[in-house]
Amino acid sequence: MVATDIATRVWNHTFKLDPIVRSLLDTDFYKLLMLQMIWGLHAETDVTFSLINRTKSVRIADEIDEGELRAQLDHARSVRLTKREMIWLAGNSFYGSAQIFRPAFLEWLENFALPEYELRRVDGQFELFFHGPWTHTTMWEIPALAVINELRSRAALRDYGRFELDVLYARAKAKMWEKVERLRRLPALRISDFGTRRRHSFLWQRWCVEALKEGLGESFIGSSNVLLAMETDVEAIGTNAHELPMVMAALAPDDAALRQAPYAILKDWQSYYGGNLLVVLPDAFGTEAFLRNAPDWLTGWTGFRPDSAPPIEGGERILAWWKAHGIDPSDKLLVFSDGMDVEGIEATYRHFEGRSRMSFGWGTNLTNDFRDTEPHGGAGLDAISLVCKVVSANGRPAVKLSDNPAKATGNPAEIERYRRVFDTPANIPRLVRV
Amino acid sequence: MVATDIATRVWNHTFKLDPIVRSLLDTDFYKLLMLQMIWGLHAETDVTFSLINRTKSVRIADEIDEGELRAQLDHARSVRLTKREMIWLAGNSFYGSAQIFRPAFLEWLENFALPEYELRRVDGQFELFFHGPWTHTTMWEIPALAVINELRSRAALRDYGRFELDVLYARAKAKMWEKVERLRRLPALRISDFGTRRRHSFLWQRWCVEALKEGLGESFIGSSNVLLAMETDVEAIGTNAHELPMVMAALAPDDAALRQAPYAILKDWQSYYGGNLLVVLPDAFGTEAFLRNAPDWLTGWTGFRPDSAPPIEGGERILAWWKAHGIDPSDKLLVFSDGMDVEGIEATYRHFEGRSRMSFGWGTNLTNDFRDTEPHGGAGLDAISLVCKVVSANGRPAVKLSDNPAKATGNPAEIERYRRVFDTPANIPRLVRV
């Protein structure tokens, strides 16, 4: 007897929408950590986020139907936190700290909904803006990116037959497992999933997280994705992001305040969180400049996350700074999270082994590496460099310089001013790693 | 909502037996073709078949539980042809011939059941015999082998977790598809599935057949497995096997009759079948000897299947024979089916391209190639060389010499006699290819 479940079959063929974002926890953990501080200290600040496609050669709006995109974004706006999600947030310990989220914050969060969006199609690309209170617009970053990336995957797979899909995912699984087997040879590895925003799809990210959990055991320390951390029973991982110094910098009334902005926000962070959450992200306006003027109290923080310099170069710079301040780096932590893949993880691990603690945040090359998996040799599944960045705060333009000039965002005059204030030269652009 | 189908789940966890052979058509097509002739001409002949494990290093009876084996064999004995199977046999055209099976034969077949078996465990191996009328014992060959091979696979996978199984099959699929992509580059390829007896499992064979159908299109000419041919709507492929000359030889009253036996049986075959079914299997007692004494009327047959010589050497020998008889080989057919894998298929294809028609019967390396797929690097899934051969006919010992002395079966004195009668030297044994 062929046992076809009729209800399942009918459902599969008649549902109107296959939602990409089904939970407000389907986002990065650092978003919630930042949100609590934004809610506490910057509830009145308006921040606009904007989609930026750095891979200009890919005309997203030609691949994805605008109506489908709107339907997904509208659906995400209809999602609310559920009772069990709230209970999990309230009851869980994060990095060993119980009740990291304050009751008043959770009470506010309970009714949270994603705010409106502004979308138009311009010359093969989407212009997508989120205007409004920072407490709300910040929460769009991850779901907006995940939605667009998954819609791209679906578009690329639209004409695939059942069997071709089977082969495609078999290859992707085999490929992923080769990576797991290589990483297994690094005994003290600590690695986490940072791949939500660039994922091929939610279900594929979940498979990848299960693969790391199964294959790496203790070396897999968790996922940045809060929903997956909850569902697969692993640690939720993350600290803070560039939007904090970017907004503070945009709001700074003068050059002197601008220069202090990156440190001021870390002072605030320290008042909210401690321990493993004290990780410095130094590159918003150039790591050189950041370290040159960094206050001594930052030596007490757990570690640094060099996020746009090449990992070995970036790590060495931090180690040198610790040593110059009389700090033994072997107790400190370096978090590498920029465009890592197995080769880079191995090289970086071996380079810093025994000199410093390390952990790796593995993103695009974990959750969206479908190169050479398409049965007909297409490239429609290749990941692109898509980001959703702060572009203004209270109407004032925001800027990011980073250690990689190709990643700089903001209007040219403001970028020029930031480069002068932070004494960060415009180096030769490197290719952006996805 | 997680939609677990409760009935399915309970069934999965409570069923008593997962039958390996669920249909009497889950066998090789040539068995049915031979059976019709055996039924017509040799209904009174008793033939004993015996399991032979040529891979002595693998102690099958230590891997497989005897009780499980008995349960599977007993279940196979309980299976009967179904109404739709009978209709398909009666109504289908095979190789373009309508109604290849005669009504009287089908009427007899309708009530067919596999006969008794004799099983014991001796020193880590199973002794498994099938005694009785040739019309019945012949039908055990394929199901017996398929049952034991699948029980070995199940034993090897018994301690695998859900995720490890997922990775294993993903790897096997990716590996299989690489082969398909290579074979796709041979434009005039004609290939069929010959992998029933050595398959990893029924479901895996089905996947492989679907893969060939999807990936090779017209180049995939069908499956030797009758059930899969029916289910996947492809051609059933096959002609005849060594058991025919072996039984005829065993029954030959003297050396002169023995020498003629391989030709006499082909005369009979010709009286039953024509066209594409006229394929000579020349190696039962050595191809050299066969060709040396072959009657001229065999030049009228469609082709040869050299089954134990290296393919290029074996094919050249046949081509030379055709040429010596004034036949243009470009209209003739060479069928290669001994231990083929992609490299061998490519080399053979290129070697004979344009000189003769060719087709390939792909067996073990199609349906049971799990090398390097086990997540923990085991070898429990490696295929072994397991056969089920005629050992006697009407109480007289049977012999096979083949072109590969490692494949010779029979008692030493009889092998000696056959070598003398057929003037087939005992070459240096080659490694048996699975």
Side-chain angles (χ1 to χ4, degrees), chain A residues 3 5 8 161 163-164 166-167 169-171 173-174 177-178 181 184 207 210-212 214-215 372 374-376, chain B residues 3 5 8 161 163-164 166-167 169-171 173-174 177-178 181 184 207 210-212 214-215 372 374-376:
Chain A
D5 184 61
T8 301
F163 196 87
E164 294 168 305
D166 193 19
V167 169
Y169 285 106
R171 282 178 163 178
K173 286 177 179 180
W177 196 255
E178 301 299 324
E181 291 196 334
R184 210 150 45 187
W207 192 92
E210 299 276 8
L212 293 180
E214 176 90 14
D372 302 321
E374 293 186 64
H376 304 300
Chain B
D5 183 62
T8 301
F163 196 87
E164 293 168 305
D166 193 18
V167 169
Y169 285 106
R171 281 178 164 178
K173 286 177 178 180
W177 197 255
E178 300 300 324
E181 292 196 333
R184 212 154 34 191
W207 192 90
E210 299 275 9
L212 293 181
E214 176 90 16
D372 303 322
E374 293 187 64
H376 304 299

Short mmCIF file of all heavy atoms in Angstrom, two decimals, chain A residues 3 5 8 161 163-164 166-167 169-171 173-174 177-178 181 184 207 210-212 214-215 372 374-376, chain B residues 3 5 8 161 163-164 166-167 169-171 173-174 177-178 181 184 207 210-212 214-215 372 374-376:
data_model
loop_
_atom_site.label_atom_id
_atom_site.label_comp_id
_atom_site.label_asym_id
_atom_site.label_seq_id
_atom_site.Cartn_x
_atom_site.Cartn_y
_atom_site.Cartn_z
N ALA A 3 1.14 4.73 1.12
CA ALA A 3 0.39 5.48 2.13
C ALA A 3 0.59 6.98 1.96
O ALA A 3 1.46 7.58 2.57
CB ALA A 3 0.82 5.04 3.53
N ASP A 5 -0.54 10.55 2.69
CA ASP A 5 -1.40 11.26 3.63
C ASP A 5 -2.11 12.37 2.85
O ASP A 5 -1.50 13.35 2.44
CB ASP A 5 -0.55 11.83 4.76
CG ASP A 5 -1.41 12.50 5.81
OD1 ASP A 5 -2.24 11.80 6.40
OD2 ASP A 5 -1.25 13.71 5.99
N THR A 8 -1.96 16.07 4.06
CA THR A 8 -0.64 16.68 3.87
C THR A 8 -0.45 17.08 2.41
O THR A 8 0.01 18.18 2.10
CB THR A 8 0.45 15.67 4.27
OG1 THR A 8 0.26 15.32 5.63
CG2 THR A 8 1.84 16.27 4.10
N GLY A 161 13.32 19.75 -10.98
CA GLY A 161 12.46 18.61 -10.75
C GLY A 161 12.70 18.03 -9.36
O GLY A 161 13.69 18.36 -8.70
N PHE A 163 13.68 15.14 -8.53
CA PHE A 163 14.91 14.36 -8.43
C PHE A 163 16.14 15.26 -8.40
O PHE A 163 17.09 15.02 -7.66
CB PHE A 163 15.00 13.40 -9.62
CG PHE A 163 16.01 12.34 -9.39
CD1 PHE A 163 15.65 11.18 -8.74
CD2 PHE A 163 17.32 12.53 -9.77
CE1 PHE A 163 16.59 10.21 -8.48
CE2 PHE A 163 18.27 11.56 -9.51
CZ PHE A 163 17.90 10.40 -8.87
N GLU A 164 16.12 16.31 -9.21
CA GLU A 164 17.25 17.24 -9.20
C GLU A 164 17.42 17.88 -7.83
O GLU A 164 18.55 18.09 -7.37
CB GLU A 164 17.02 18.33 -10.26
CG GLU A 164 17.04 17.80 -11.67
CD GLU A 164 16.53 18.83 -12.67
OE1 GLU A 164 15.40 19.34 -12.49
OE2 GLU A 164 17.26 19.13 -13.62
N ASP A 166 16.66 16.51 -5.06
CA ASP A 166 17.22 15.46 -4.20
C ASP A 166 18.74 15.41 -4.35
O ASP A 166 19.48 15.38 -3.36
CB ASP A 166 16.58 14.12 -4.60
CG ASP A 166 16.85 13.03 -3.57
OD1 ASP A 166 17.19 13.36 -2.42
OD2 ASP A 166 16.71 11.85 -3.92
N VAL A 167 19.19 15.44 -5.60
CA VAL A 167 20.63 15.40 -5.86
C VAL A 167 21.31 16.65 -5.30
O VAL A 167 22.36 16.59 -4.66
CB VAL A 167 20.91 15.26 -7.36
CG1 VAL A 167 22.38 15.50 -7.67
CG2 VAL A 167 20.48 13.88 -7.85
N TYR A 169 20.46 18.64 -2.80
CA TYR A 169 20.61 18.66 -1.34
C TYR A 169 21.52 17.53 -0.86
O TYR A 169 22.22 17.68 0.14
CB TYR A 169 19.24 18.64 -0.65
CG TYR A 169 18.57 20.00 -0.73
CD1 TYR A 169 17.50 20.23 -1.59
CD2 TYR A 169 19.05 21.06 0.01
CE1 TYR A 169 16.92 21.48 -1.69
CE2 TYR A 169 18.48 22.32 -0.09
CZ TYR A 169 17.41 22.53 -0.94
OH TYR A 169 16.85 23.77 -1.04
N ALA A 170 21.53 16.41 -1.58
CA ALA A 170 22.48 15.35 -1.22
C ALA A 170 23.90 15.87 -1.35
O ALA A 170 24.75 15.66 -0.48
CB ALA A 170 22.26 14.12 -2.12
N ARG A 171 24.17 16.57 -2.47
CA ARG A 171 25.51 17.13 -2.65
C ARG A 171 25.86 18.15 -1.60
O ARG A 171 26.97 18.18 -1.09
CB ARG A 171 25.58 17.80 -4.03
CG ARG A 171 25.73 16.84 -5.15
CD ARG A 171 25.74 17.63 -6.43
NE ARG A 171 26.26 16.82 -7.51
CZ ARG A 171 26.35 17.24 -8.77
NH1 ARG A 171 25.96 18.47 -9.08
NH2 ARG A 171 26.84 16.46 -9.69
N LYS A 173 24.70 18.36 1.38
CA LYS A 173 24.94 17.67 2.66
C LYS A 173 26.31 17.01 2.68
O LYS A 173 27.04 17.07 3.67
CB LYS A 173 23.85 16.63 2.91
CG LYS A 173 22.51 17.22 3.32
CD LYS A 173 21.46 16.12 3.49
CE LYS A 173 20.13 16.71 3.93
NZ LYS A 173 19.09 15.68 4.10
N ALA A 174 26.63 16.33 1.57
CA ALA A 174 27.94 15.66 1.50
C ALA A 174 29.05 16.69 1.64
O ALA A 174 30.03 16.48 2.37
CB ALA A 174 28.06 14.90 0.18
N TRP A 177 29.31 17.97 5.19
CA TRP A 177 29.89 16.99 6.11
C TRP A 177 31.41 16.87 5.92
O TRP A 177 32.13 16.60 6.88
CB TRP A 177 29.20 15.63 5.97
CG TRP A 177 29.51 14.77 7.15
CD1 TRP A 177 30.36 13.71 7.21
CD2 TRP A 177 28.97 14.92 8.49
NE1 TRP A 177 30.39 13.19 8.48
CE2 TRP A 177 29.55 13.91 9.28
CE3 TRP A 177 28.07 15.81 9.07
CZ2 TRP A 177 29.26 13.76 10.64
CZ3 TRP A 177 27.77 15.67 10.42
CH2 TRP A 177 28.36 14.65 11.18
N GLU A 178 31.88 17.09 4.70
CA GLU A 178 33.34 17.11 4.49
C GLU A 178 33.95 18.21 5.36
O GLU A 178 35.02 18.03 5.96
CB GLU A 178 33.71 17.40 3.03
CG GLU A 178 33.18 16.41 2.00
CD GLU A 178 33.69 15.00 2.22
OE1 GLU A 178 34.86 14.84 2.62
OE2 GLU A 178 32.91 14.05 2.01
N GLU A 181 34.07 17.15 8.93
CA GLU A 181 35.15 16.18 9.19
C GLU A 181 36.50 16.87 9.27
O GLU A 181 37.37 16.44 10.02
CB GLU A 181 35.13 15.10 8.12
CG GLU A 181 33.90 14.21 8.26
CD GLU A 181 34.00 12.90 7.49
OE1 GLU A 181 34.74 12.86 6.50
OE2 GLU A 181 33.33 11.95 7.91
N ARG A 184 36.71 18.75 12.62
CA ARG A 184 36.83 17.81 13.73
C ARG A 184 38.28 17.58 14.12
O ARG A 184 38.58 17.14 15.23
CB ARG A 184 36.20 16.49 13.28
CG ARG A 184 35.62 15.72 14.36
CD ARG A 184 34.47 14.87 14.07
NE ARG A 184 34.43 14.02 12.91
CZ ARG A 184 33.32 13.36 12.61
NH1 ARG A 184 32.26 13.49 13.36
NH2 ARG A 184 33.27 12.60 11.56
N TRP A 207 19.44 22.28 9.30
CA TRP A 207 20.22 21.06 9.03
C TRP A 207 21.69 21.30 9.35
O TRP A 207 22.36 20.45 9.95
CB TRP A 207 20.05 20.63 7.56
CG TRP A 207 20.59 19.25 7.33
CD1 TRP A 207 19.89 18.08 7.41
CD2 TRP A 207 21.93 18.88 7.00
NE1 TRP A 207 20.72 17.01 7.15
CE2 TRP A 207 21.98 17.47 6.90
CE3 TRP A 207 23.11 19.60 6.79
CZ2 TRP A 207 23.15 16.77 6.60
CZ3 TRP A 207 24.27 18.90 6.50
CH2 TRP A 207 24.28 17.51 6.40
N GLU A 210 22.23 21.21 13.05
CA GLU A 210 22.19 19.82 13.51
C GLU A 210 23.49 19.10 13.15
O GLU A 210 24.00 18.28 13.91
CB GLU A 210 21.00 19.08 12.89
CG GLU A 210 19.63 19.64 13.22
CD GLU A 210 19.08 19.14 14.55
OE1 GLU A 210 19.83 18.48 15.29
OE2 GLU A 210 17.91 19.43 14.84
N ALA A 211 24.00 19.39 11.96
CA ALA A 211 25.23 18.75 11.51
C ALA A 211 26.40 19.13 12.42
O ALA A 211 27.21 18.27 12.81
CB ALA A 211 25.55 19.13 10.06
N LEU A 212 26.49 20.40 12.78
CA LEU A 212 27.59 20.83 13.65
C LEU A 212 27.44 20.23 15.03
O LEU A 212 28.41 19.80 15.65
CB LEU A 212 27.62 22.36 13.75
CG LEU A 212 27.97 23.11 12.45
CD1 LEU A 212 27.97 24.62 12.70
CD2 LEU A 212 29.33 22.68 11.93
N GLU A 214 25.93 17.42 15.80
CA GLU A 214 26.20 15.98 15.71
C GLU A 214 27.69 15.73 15.47
O GLU A 214 28.27 14.83 16.07
CB GLU A 214 25.41 15.41 14.53
CG GLU A 214 25.65 13.96 14.22
CD GLU A 214 24.70 13.04 14.97
OE1 GLU A 214 23.70 13.52 15.53
OE2 GLU A 214 24.99 11.82 15.01
N GLY A 215 28.29 16.53 14.61
CA GLY A 215 29.65 16.22 14.17
C GLY A 215 30.74 16.81 15.03
O GLY A 215 31.83 16.23 15.14
N ASP A 372 28.87 24.51 -6.85
CA ASP A 372 29.09 23.18 -7.46
C ASP A 372 28.10 22.13 -7.02
O ASP A 372 28.39 20.94 -7.05
CB ASP A 372 30.51 22.67 -7.17
CG ASP A 372 31.56 23.65 -7.66
OD1 ASP A 372 31.35 24.22 -8.74
OD2 ASP A 372 32.57 23.83 -6.96
N GLU A 374 24.71 22.44 -8.13
CA GLU A 374 23.57 22.46 -9.06
C GLU A 374 23.77 21.44 -10.18
O GLU A 374 24.78 21.48 -10.87
CB GLU A 374 23.36 23.87 -9.61
CG GLU A 374 22.92 24.83 -8.52
CD GLU A 374 22.56 26.20 -9.05
OE1 GLU A 374 21.61 26.31 -9.82
OE2 GLU A 374 23.25 27.16 -8.69
N PRO A 375 22.81 20.52 -10.34
CA PRO A 375 22.97 19.46 -11.34
C PRO A 375 23.25 19.99 -12.74
O PRO A 375 23.92 19.35 -13.51
CB PRO A 375 21.63 18.72 -11.28
CG PRO A 375 21.12 18.97 -9.92
CD PRO A 375 21.59 20.34 -9.54
N HIS A 376 22.76 21.18 -13.06
CA HIS A 376 23.01 21.70 -14.41
C HIS A 376 24.07 22.78 -14.42
O HIS A 376 24.19 23.53 -15.37
CB HIS A 376 21.71 22.19 -15.03
CG HIS A 376 20.66 21.14 -15.04
ND1 HIS A 376 20.84 19.94 -15.70
CD2 HIS A 376 19.46 21.05 -14.42
CE1 HIS A 376 19.77 19.19 -15.51
NE2 HIS A 376 18.93 19.82 -14.73
N ALA B 3 3.41 18.05 12.32
CA ALA B 3 2.38 17.10 11.91
C ALA B 3 2.92 15.68 11.86
O ALA B 3 3.35 15.22 10.81
CB ALA B 3 1.80 17.51 10.56
N ASP B 5 2.28 11.93 11.73
CA ASP B 5 1.19 11.02 11.44
C ASP B 5 1.30 9.84 12.41
O ASP B 5 2.23 9.03 12.32
CB ASP B 5 1.29 10.55 9.99
CG ASP B 5 0.13 9.66 9.62
OD1 ASP B 5 -1.01 10.14 9.67
OD2 ASP B 5 0.37 8.48 9.31
N THR B 8 1.44 6.17 11.11
CA THR B 8 2.70 5.84 10.45
C THR B 8 3.79 5.58 11.48
O THR B 8 4.55 4.62 11.39
CB THR B 8 3.11 7.01 9.54
OG1 THR B 8 2.09 7.23 8.58
CG2 THR B 8 4.42 6.71 8.81
N GLY B 161 23.00 6.58 13.88
CA GLY B 161 21.96 7.53 14.30
C GLY B 161 21.23 8.06 13.08
O GLY B 161 21.67 7.88 11.94
N PHE B 163 20.95 11.01 12.00
CA PHE B 163 21.72 12.00 11.26
C PHE B 163 22.83 11.36 10.44
O PHE B 163 23.10 11.74 9.30
CB PHE B 163 22.31 13.03 12.22
CG PHE B 163 22.76 14.24 11.51
CD1 PHE B 163 21.87 15.27 11.26
CD2 PHE B 163 24.05 14.35 11.03
CE1 PHE B 163 22.26 16.38 10.56
CE2 PHE B 163 24.46 15.47 10.33
CZ PHE B 163 23.56 16.48 10.10
N GLU B 164 23.48 10.37 11.03
CA GLU B 164 24.55 9.67 10.31
C GLU B 164 23.99 9.00 9.06
O GLU B 164 24.64 8.97 8.01
CB GLU B 164 25.19 8.63 11.21
CG GLU B 164 25.94 9.24 12.37
CD GLU B 164 26.33 8.19 13.41
OE1 GLU B 164 25.42 7.48 13.90
OE2 GLU B 164 27.51 8.09 13.73
N ASP B 166 21.48 10.03 7.37
CA ASP B 166 21.21 11.10 6.42
C ASP B 166 22.47 11.46 5.65
O ASP B 166 22.47 11.58 4.42
CB ASP B 166 20.68 12.32 7.21
CG ASP B 166 20.07 13.38 6.32
OD1 ASP B 166 19.73 13.05 5.16
OD2 ASP B 166 19.95 14.52 6.76
N VAL B 167 23.58 11.60 6.38
CA VAL B 167 24.86 11.93 5.73
C VAL B 167 25.29 10.79 4.80
O VAL B 167 25.72 11.02 3.66
CB VAL B 167 25.94 12.20 6.78
CG1 VAL B 167 27.31 12.28 6.13
CG2 VAL B 167 25.63 13.50 7.53
N TYR B 169 23.53 8.51 3.17
CA TYR B 169 22.78 8.44 1.92
C TYR B 169 22.99 9.70 1.06
O TYR B 169 22.98 9.61 -0.17
CB TYR B 169 21.30 8.15 2.17
CG TYR B 169 21.08 6.71 2.55
CD1 TYR B 169 20.80 6.32 3.85
CD2 TYR B 169 21.23 5.70 1.59
CE1 TYR B 169 20.64 4.98 4.20
CE2 TYR B 169 21.07 4.36 1.93
CZ TYR B 169 20.79 4.02 3.23
OH TYR B 169 20.64 2.70 3.56
N ALA B 170 23.19 10.83 1.71
CA ALA B 170 23.52 12.04 0.93
C ALA B 170 24.82 11.82 0.16
O ALA B 170 24.92 12.13 -1.02
CB ALA B 170 23.64 13.25 1.86
N ARG B 171 25.81 11.25 0.84
CA ARG B 171 27.08 10.99 0.17
C ARG B 171 26.93 9.99 -0.96
O ARG B 171 27.49 10.14 -2.04
CB ARG B 171 28.08 10.43 1.17
CG ARG B 171 28.69 11.47 2.04
CD ARG B 171 29.62 10.80 3.02
NE ARG B 171 30.51 11.76 3.62
CZ ARG B 171 31.39 11.45 4.55
NH1 ARG B 171 31.53 10.21 4.96
NH2 ARG B 171 32.18 12.38 5.04
N LYS B 173 24.29 9.37 -2.69
CA LYS B 173 23.58 10.00 -3.80
C LYS B 173 24.52 10.93 -4.57
O LYS B 173 24.52 10.93 -5.80
CB LYS B 173 22.38 10.80 -3.29
CG LYS B 173 21.21 9.93 -2.85
CD LYS B 173 20.07 10.78 -2.29
CE LYS B 173 18.88 9.91 -1.91
NZ LYS B 173 17.78 10.72 -1.35
N ALA B 174 25.29 11.72 -3.85
CA ALA B 174 26.22 12.63 -4.52
C ALA B 174 27.21 11.84 -5.37
O ALA B 174 27.50 12.19 -6.51
CB ALA B 174 26.95 13.48 -3.49
N TRP B 177 25.56 10.42 -8.44
CA TRP B 177 25.28 11.42 -9.46
C TRP B 177 26.54 11.86 -10.20
O TRP B 177 26.48 12.20 -11.39
CB TRP B 177 24.55 12.63 -8.85
CG TRP B 177 23.91 13.45 -9.92
CD1 TRP B 177 24.33 14.65 -10.41
CD2 TRP B 177 22.74 13.11 -10.70
NE1 TRP B 177 23.50 15.09 -11.41
CE2 TRP B 177 22.52 14.16 -11.61
CE3 TRP B 177 21.87 12.01 -10.69
CZ2 TRP B 177 21.46 14.15 -12.52
CZ3 TRP B 177 20.82 12.01 -11.59
CH2 TRP B 177 20.62 13.06 -12.49
N GLU B 178 27.68 11.82 -9.52
CA GLU B 178 28.95 12.10 -10.22
C GLU B 178 29.12 11.09 -11.35
O GLU B 178 29.55 11.42 -12.46
CB GLU B 178 30.15 11.98 -9.28
CG GLU B 178 30.16 12.91 -8.08
CD GLU B 178 30.14 14.37 -8.46
OE1 GLU B 178 30.77 14.74 -9.47
OE2 GLU B 178 29.46 15.16 -7.76
N GLU B 181 26.87 11.93 -14.21
CA GLU B 181 27.36 13.07 -15.00
C GLU B 181 28.52 12.68 -15.91
O GLU B 181 28.67 13.21 -17.00
CB GLU B 181 27.77 14.20 -14.06
CG GLU B 181 26.57 14.80 -13.36
CD GLU B 181 26.84 16.15 -12.73
OE1 GLU B 181 28.01 16.41 -12.38
OE2 GLU B 181 25.90 16.93 -12.60
N ARG B 184 27.06 10.66 -18.84
CA ARG B 184 26.31 11.52 -19.73
C ARG B 184 27.17 12.03 -20.89
O ARG B 184 26.66 12.45 -21.91
CB ARG B 184 25.83 12.73 -18.90
CG ARG B 184 24.57 13.24 -19.36
CD ARG B 184 23.67 13.95 -18.45
NE ARG B 184 24.18 14.80 -17.40
CZ ARG B 184 23.36 15.26 -16.46
NH1 ARG B 184 22.08 14.91 -16.45
NH2 ARG B 184 23.81 16.05 -15.52
N TRP B 207 16.25 4.00 -6.19
CA TRP B 207 16.78 5.35 -6.34
C TRP B 207 17.78 5.39 -7.50
O TRP B 207 17.78 6.32 -8.31
CB TRP B 207 17.44 5.82 -5.03
CG TRP B 207 17.72 7.30 -5.06
CD1 TRP B 207 16.90 8.30 -4.64
CD2 TRP B 207 18.90 7.95 -5.58
NE1 TRP B 207 17.50 9.52 -4.86
CE2 TRP B 207 18.72 9.34 -5.42
CE3 TRP B 207 20.08 7.48 -6.15
CZ2 TRP B 207 19.67 10.27 -5.83
CZ3 TRP B 207 21.04 8.41 -6.56
CH2 TRP B 207 20.83 9.78 -6.39
N GLU B 210 15.99 5.33 -10.77
CA GLU B 210 15.41 6.65 -11.02
C GLU B 210 16.50 7.64 -11.45
O GLU B 210 16.28 8.50 -12.31
CB GLU B 210 14.70 7.19 -9.76
CG GLU B 210 13.54 6.34 -9.27
CD GLU B 210 12.23 6.65 -9.98
OE1 GLU B 210 12.24 7.40 -10.96
OE2 GLU B 210 11.19 6.11 -9.54
N ALA B 211 17.66 7.54 -10.82
CA ALA B 211 18.76 8.45 -11.15
C ALA B 211 19.20 8.25 -12.60
O ALA B 211 19.42 9.22 -13.33
CB ALA B 211 19.94 8.22 -10.20
N LEU B 212 19.31 7.00 -13.02
CA LEU B 212 19.74 6.73 -14.39
C LEU B 212 18.67 7.21 -15.38
O LEU B 212 18.98 7.78 -16.42
CB LEU B 212 20.00 5.24 -14.59
CG LEU B 212 21.19 4.67 -13.82
CD1 LEU B 212 21.35 3.19 -14.13
CD2 LEU B 212 22.48 5.40 -14.16
N GLU B 214 16.50 9.60 -14.90
CA GLU B 214 16.49 11.07 -14.89
C GLU B 214 17.73 11.63 -15.57
O GLU B 214 17.66 12.59 -16.33
CB GLU B 214 16.45 11.55 -13.43
CG GLU B 214 16.53 13.04 -13.24
CD GLU B 214 15.17 13.71 -13.24
OE1 GLU B 214 14.16 13.01 -13.10
OE2 GLU B 214 15.14 14.95 -13.39
N GLY B 215 18.87 11.02 -15.28
CA GLY B 215 20.13 11.63 -15.71
C GLY B 215 20.59 11.21 -17.10
O GLY B 215 21.26 11.98 -17.79
N ASP B 372 33.63 4.71 1.05
CA ASP B 372 33.90 6.09 1.51
C ASP B 372 32.65 6.90 1.80
O ASP B 372 32.67 8.12 1.72
CB ASP B 372 34.75 6.85 0.46
CG ASP B 372 36.05 6.13 0.17
OD1 ASP B 372 36.63 5.60 1.11
OD2 ASP B 372 36.45 6.11 -1.00
N GLU B 374 30.73 5.99 4.68
CA GLU B 374 30.38 5.82 6.09
C GLU B 374 31.02 6.93 6.94
O GLU B 374 32.22 7.12 6.91
CB GLU B 374 30.83 4.44 6.58
CG GLU B 374 30.03 3.33 5.90
CD GLU B 374 30.33 1.95 6.46
OE1 GLU B 374 30.04 1.73 7.64
OE2 GLU B 374 30.86 1.11 5.72
N PRO B 375 30.19 7.64 7.71
CA PRO B 375 30.70 8.78 8.48
C PRO B 375 31.86 8.39 9.42
O PRO B 375 32.71 9.21 9.68
CB PRO B 375 29.49 9.24 9.28
CG PRO B 375 28.32 8.81 8.46
CD PRO B 375 28.74 7.52 7.80
N HIS B 376 31.88 7.17 9.88
CA HIS B 376 32.97 6.79 10.77
C HIS B 376 34.03 5.95 10.08
O HIS B 376 34.85 5.29 10.72
CB HIS B 376 32.42 6.09 12.01
CG HIS B 376 31.41 6.93 12.71
ND1 HIS B 376 31.70 8.17 13.22
CD2 HIS B 376 30.09 6.74 12.93
CE1 HIS B 376 30.62 8.70 13.74
NE2 HIS B 376 29.61 7.88 13.57
#
